[in-house]
Amino acid sequence: MARAVTRQRKIVNTALAWGIGFLIFFPILWTILTSFKTEAQAIADPPIFLGFNWTLANYEAVLERSNYGRFLWNSIIIAGGSTVLGILIAVPAAWSMAFVPGKRTKDILLWMLSTKMLPAVGVLYPIYLLCIQFGVLDSKIALVIILMLINLPIIVWMLYTYFREIPGEILEAARMDGASLREEVLYVLTPMAIPGIASTLLLNFILAWNEAFWTLNLTAAKAAPLTAFIASYSSPEGLFYAKLSAASTMAIAPILILGWFSQKQLVSGLTFGAVK
């Protein structure tokens, strides 16, 4: 039997959860607040939390100096393209490993995961030379492929975990009804794994969106995403904290909106499922 939870315990757990959540969100909140300060207020000691004169001058300066729309579009193409391409490759791979495992399936999964332990700087030089050789340096297609390959082990592992939860008897019943392999994957497996695929899509989109190492080293101007947009406000003359915070806020705003929208859709889906 489940142990009864006292009212006091609920209050303590709720307060602790909100406290941890606030600590995690505080750096983002501080960045947003700093973006509305002047440069003098941004470096004030002691720091000013709320008692300052709010200004939009930093956003005006950032928009005048940089083409924010171009950087945003590059980020959408790179993050979205690498995620979709990774899903197209990972779904068949995870299906075969989950439902038609071989003797070396677990070894392959562990090997794929071990590639994430390799420092990125260890393969920067050969990948940089390959991009020059194929003429794709500072191009979105190169970053789409590279980020897809970097995140592919995570995509396969996540989908493999979700697919393992689906009873194999359902697929066997579909085969007995005459479903081909393509129909089995498209019309039976995929609809049942939509929550897992959606979670995998969201996580890997965020990972690709936040990737800075490869985007800063393999782009210059044409394919530079929002990570390069933020880095451009760190100059030898010093850090302009207010303008840097404004650029960072503009870069994380799409992800915050996406996260809020995804949460609303998830809650709606759970509520609909419970009512149904």
Side-chain angles (χ1 to χ4, degrees):
M1 295 179 62
R3 293 187 299 177
V5 181
T6 63
R7 178 180 175 83
Q8 183 179 6
R9 182 66 177 272
K10 290 181 179 178
I11 294 174
V12 171
N13 290 343
T14 302
L16 183 62
W18 275 100
I20 295 174
F22 179 76
L23 287 176
I24 295 173
F25 183 72
F26 183 76
I28 300 175
L29 176 62
W30 186 256
T31 299
I32 295 173
L33 291 175
T34 304
S35 68
F36 293 101
K37 300 177 182 178
T38 63
E39 291 294 345
Q41 293 170 337
I43 60 174
D45 188 18
I48 305 173
F49 188 66
L50 289 175
F52 59 89
N53 297 323
W54 294 63
T55 178
L56 294 174
N58 298 313
Y59 290 94
E60 294 174 358
V62 168
L63 290 174
E64 289 176 2
R65 170 181 167 179
S66 306
N67 187 353
Y68 171 74
R70 178 172 61 84
F71 290 102
L72 175 62
W73 179 246
N74 287 342
S75 286
I76 293 173
I77 293 297
I78 293 169
S82 64
T83 301
V84 171
L85 183 60
I87 287 290
L88 293 176
I89 296 175
V91 166
W95 177 89
S96 63
M97 292 179 179
F99 298 108
V100 194
K103 294 182 179 179
R104 300 294 180 182
T105 296
K106 291 185 177 180
D107 294 336
I108 294 173
L109 285 168
L110 289 175
W111 171 78
M112 291 179 64
L113 192 62
S114 69
T115 61
K116 296 294 295 179
M117 304 176 189
L118 177 68
V121 69
V123 292
L124 172 61
Y125 187 63
I127 290 180
Y128 191 87
L129 292 180
L130 285 173
C131 289
I132 295 175
Q133 185 70 27
F134 289 102
V136 293
L137 189 64
D138 193 20
S139 69
K140 291 187 282 291
I141 185 63
L143 285 175
V144 166
I145 295 174
I146 291 170
L147 295 185
M148 179 274 293
L149 292 173
I150 290 173
N151 293 326
L152 190 59
I154 297 177
I155 302 176
V156 172
W157 262 94
M158 291 185 66
L159 293 179
Y160 171 79
T161 303
Y162 286 116
F163 289 172
R164 289 283 292 176
E165 298 297 323
I166 298 176
E169 291 79 7
I170 296 178
L171 301 182
E172 292 178 2
R175 295 189 198 113
M176 292 180 65
D177 289 338
S180 63
L181 178 59
R182 173 179 169 276
E183 293 171 338
E184 178 184 326
V185 173
L186 288 180
Y187 302 119
V188 181
L189 178 65
T190 302
M192 296 183 65
I194 281 179
I197 294 175
S199 301
T200 306
L201 277 170
L202 181 60
L203 174 62
N204 285 274
F205 184 87
I206 293 174
L207 290 175
W209 186 278
N210 293 335
E211 178 60 46
F213 179 82
W214 293 106
T215 55
L216 292 178
N217 283 286
L218 298 180
T219 62
K222 294 187 296 182
L226 286 172
T227 48
F229 167 72
I230 297 173
S232 66
Y233 287 88
S234 175
S235 63
E237 291 79 14
L239 289 175
F240 298 93
Y241 289 101
K243 294 180 179 61
L244 182 61
S245 297
S248 300
T249 301
M250 294 171 68
I252 64 176
I255 288 297
L256 294 178
I257 295 172
L258 177 63
W260 178 82
F261 178 77
S262 301
Q263 180 191 25
K264 296 289 287 186
Q265 291 296 106
L266 178 61
V267 171
S268 300
L270 291 176
T271 304
F272 176 76
V275 173
K276 186 177 180 180

